[in-house]
PDB file of all heavy atoms in Angstrom:
ATOM      1  N   LYS D  56     -11.447  21.196   5.060  1.00 96.00           N
ATOM      2  CA  LYS D  56     -11.284  22.647   4.928  1.00 96.00           C
ATOM      3  C   LYS D  56      -9.827  22.982   4.594  1.00 96.00           C
ATOM      4  O   LYS D  56      -8.936  22.149   4.747  1.00 96.00           O
ATOM      5  CB  LYS D  56     -11.683  23.329   6.231  1.00 96.00           C
ATOM      6  CG  LYS D  56     -13.153  23.172   6.571  1.00 96.00           C
ATOM      7  CD  LYS D  56     -13.482  23.867   7.866  1.00 96.00           C
ATOM      8  CE  LYS D  56     -14.950  23.820   8.199  1.00 96.00           C
ATOM      9  NZ  LYS D  56     -15.537  22.515   8.268  1.00 96.00           N
ATOM     10  N   SER D  57      -9.594  24.208   4.187  1.00 95.00           N
ATOM     11  CA  SER D  57      -8.243  24.678   3.901  1.00 95.00           C
ATOM     12  C   SER D  57      -7.360  24.492   5.132  1.00 95.00           C
ATOM     13  O   SER D  57      -7.765  24.795   6.250  1.00 95.00           O
ATOM     14  CB  SER D  57      -8.285  26.156   3.516  1.00 95.00           C
ATOM     15  OG  SER D  57      -6.984  26.622   3.239  1.00 95.00           O
ATOM     16  N   GLY D  58      -6.169  23.954   4.919  1.00 96.00           N
ATOM     17  CA  GLY D  58      -5.229  23.736   6.015  1.00 96.00           C
ATOM     18  C   GLY D  58      -5.370  22.394   6.702  1.00 96.00           C
ATOM     19  O   GLY D  58      -4.503  22.016   7.488  1.00 96.00           O
ATOM     20  N   ASP D  59      -6.455  21.663   6.417  1.00 97.00           N
ATOM     21  CA  ASP D  59      -6.613  20.322   6.986  1.00 97.00           C
ATOM     22  C   ASP D  59      -5.639  19.360   6.320  1.00 97.00           C
ATOM     23  O   ASP D  59      -5.244  19.564   5.167  1.00 97.00           O
ATOM     24  CB  ASP D  59      -8.046  19.800   6.771  1.00 97.00           C
ATOM     25  CG  ASP D  59      -9.076  20.463   7.662  1.00 97.00           C
ATOM     26  OD1 ASP D  59      -8.681  21.085   8.676  1.00 97.00           O
ATOM     27  OD2 ASP D  59     -10.277  20.359   7.342  1.00 97.00           O
ATOM     28  N   THR D  60      -5.276  18.318   7.040  1.00 98.00           N
ATOM     29  CA  THR D  60      -4.386  17.288   6.506  1.00 98.00           C
ATOM     30  C   THR D  60      -5.188  16.042   6.184  1.00 98.00           C
ATOM     31  O   THR D  60      -5.939  15.548   7.020  1.00 98.00           O
ATOM     32  CB  THR D  60      -3.275  16.941   7.510  1.00 98.00           C
ATOM     33  OG1 THR D  60      -2.513  18.128   7.794  1.00 98.00           O
ATOM     34  CG2 THR D  60      -2.338  15.873   6.956  1.00 98.00           C
ATOM     35  N   VAL D  61      -5.041  15.553   4.956  1.00 98.00           N
ATOM     36  CA  VAL D  61      -5.710  14.327   4.527  1.00 98.00           C
ATOM     37  C   VAL D  61      -4.662  13.293   4.154  1.00 98.00           C
ATOM     38  O   VAL D  61      -3.510  13.625   3.867  1.00 98.00           O
ATOM     39  CB  VAL D  61      -6.657  14.563   3.329  1.00 98.00           C
ATOM     40  CG1 VAL D  61      -7.763  15.541   3.677  1.00 98.00           C
ATOM     41  CG2 VAL D  61      -5.901  15.019   2.106  1.00 98.00           C
ATOM     42  N   THR D  62      -5.092  12.046   4.139  1.00 98.00           N
ATOM     43  CA  THR D  62      -4.245  10.948   3.685  1.00 98.00           C
ATOM     44  C   THR D  62      -4.897  10.320   2.470  1.00 98.00           C
ATOM     45  O   THR D  62      -6.108  10.085   2.470  1.00 98.00           O
ATOM     46  CB  THR D  62      -4.092   9.886   4.792  1.00 98.00           C
ATOM     47  OG1 THR D  62      -3.515  10.498   5.944  1.00 98.00           O
ATOM     48  CG2 THR D  62      -3.196   8.737   4.332  1.00 98.00           C
ATOM     49  N   ILE D  63      -4.103  10.088   1.441  1.00 98.00           N
ATOM     50  CA  ILE D  63      -4.593   9.340   0.283  1.00 98.00           C
ATOM     51  C   ILE D  63      -3.799   8.044   0.221  1.00 98.00           C
ATOM     52  O   ILE D  63      -2.613   8.008   0.556  1.00 98.00           O
ATOM     53  CB  ILE D  63      -4.495  10.150  -1.030  1.00 98.00           C
ATOM     54  CG1 ILE D  63      -3.074  10.655  -1.287  1.00 98.00           C
ATOM     55  CG2 ILE D  63      -5.486  11.301  -1.028  1.00 98.00           C
ATOM     56  CD1 ILE D  63      -2.885  11.315  -2.657  1.00 98.00           C
ATOM     57  N   SER D  64      -4.463   6.981  -0.203  1.00 98.00           N
ATOM     58  CA  SER D  64      -3.791   5.681  -0.251  1.00 98.00           C
ATOM     59  C   SER D  64      -4.306   4.857  -1.422  1.00 98.00           C
ATOM     60  O   SER D  64      -5.423   5.049  -1.902  1.00 98.00           O
ATOM     61  CB  SER D  64      -4.001   4.920   1.059  1.00 98.00           C
ATOM     62  OG  SER D  64      -5.374   4.725   1.313  1.00 98.00           O
ATOM     63  N   THR D  65      -3.447   3.943  -1.860  1.00 97.00           N
ATOM     64  CA  THR D  65      -3.800   3.003  -2.922  1.00 97.00           C
ATOM     65  C   THR D  65      -3.110   1.675  -2.652  1.00 97.00           C
ATOM     66  O   THR D  65      -2.034   1.640  -2.032  1.00 97.00           O
ATOM     67  CB  THR D  65      -3.399   3.529  -4.315  1.00 97.00           C
ATOM     68  OG1 THR D  65      -3.856   2.612  -5.317  1.00 97.00           O
ATOM     69  CG2 THR D  65      -1.901   3.711  -4.454  1.00 97.00           C
ATOM     70  N   ASP D  66      -3.712   0.613  -3.128  1.00 96.00           N
ATOM     71  CA  ASP D  66      -3.108  -0.720  -3.018  1.00 96.00           C
ATOM     72  C   ASP D  66      -2.211  -1.028  -4.210  1.00 96.00           C
ATOM     73  O   ASP D  66      -1.553  -2.068  -4.240  1.00 96.00           O
ATOM     74  CB  ASP D  66      -4.199  -1.792  -2.899  1.00 96.00           C
ATOM     75  CG  ASP D  66      -4.885  -1.758  -1.548  1.00 96.00           C
ATOM     76  OD1 ASP D  66      -4.227  -1.398  -0.552  1.00 96.00           O
ATOM     77  OD2 ASP D  66      -6.089  -2.097  -1.483  1.00 96.00           O
ATOM     78  N   ASP D  67      -2.185  -0.139  -5.198  1.00 94.00           N
ATOM     79  CA  ASP D  67      -1.377  -0.331  -6.404  1.00 94.00           C
ATOM     80  C   ASP D  67       0.072   0.061  -6.103  1.00 94.00           C
ATOM     81  O   ASP D  67       0.413   1.241  -6.075  1.00 94.00           O
ATOM     82  CB  ASP D  67      -1.943   0.513  -7.539  1.00 94.00           C
ATOM     83  CG  ASP D  67      -1.246   0.268  -8.867  1.00 94.00           C
ATOM     84  OD1 ASP D  67      -0.115  -0.267  -8.866  1.00 94.00           O
ATOM     85  OD2 ASP D  67      -1.840   0.621  -9.905  1.00 94.00           O
ATOM     86  N   ASP D  68       0.920  -0.933  -5.884  1.00 92.00           N
ATOM     87  CA  ASP D  68       2.309  -0.676  -5.507  1.00 92.00           C
ATOM     88  C   ASP D  68       3.148  -0.065  -6.624  1.00 92.00           C
ATOM     89  O   ASP D  68       4.287   0.336  -6.394  1.00 92.00           O
ATOM     90  CB  ASP D  68       2.970  -1.964  -5.006  1.00 92.00           C
ATOM     91  CG  ASP D  68       2.419  -2.415  -3.660  1.00 92.00           C
ATOM     92  OD1 ASP D  68       1.974  -1.542  -2.881  1.00 92.00           O
ATOM     93  OD2 ASP D  68       2.430  -3.618  -3.393  1.00 92.00           O
ATOM     94  N   SER D  69       2.595   0.044  -7.821  1.00 93.00           N
ATOM     95  CA  SER D  69       3.341   0.651  -8.932  1.00 93.00           C
ATOM     96  C   SER D  69       2.924   2.110  -9.159  1.00 93.00           C
ATOM     97  O   SER D  69       3.307   2.717 -10.154  1.00 93.00           O
ATOM     98  CB  SER D  69       3.113  -0.155 -10.216  1.00 93.00           C
ATOM     99  OG  SER D  69       1.758  -0.066 -10.616  1.00 93.00           O
ATOM    100  N   ALA D  70       2.154   2.674  -8.228  1.00 95.00           N
ATOM    101  CA  ALA D  70       1.575   3.995  -8.441  1.00 95.00           C
ATOM    102  C   ALA D  70       2.236   5.102  -7.618  1.00 95.00           C
ATOM    103  O   ALA D  70       1.617   6.134  -7.375  1.00 95.00           O
ATOM    104  CB  ALA D  70       0.079   3.944  -8.138  1.00 95.00           C
ATOM    105  N   ALA D  71       3.486   4.918  -7.228  1.00 96.00           N
ATOM    106  CA  ALA D  71       4.148   5.923  -6.381  1.00 96.00           C
ATOM    107  C   ALA D  71       4.191   7.298  -7.042  1.00 96.00           C
ATOM    108  O   ALA D  71       3.884   8.310  -6.403  1.00 96.00           O
ATOM    109  CB  ALA D  71       5.550   5.463  -6.008  1.00 96.00           C
TER     110      ALA D  71
END
Side-chain angles (χ1 to χ4, degrees):
K56 295 180 176 56
S57 180
D59 287 343
T60 301
V61 299
T62 301
I63 55 173
S64 59
T65 184
D66 288 329
D67 186 341
D68 290 332
S69 66

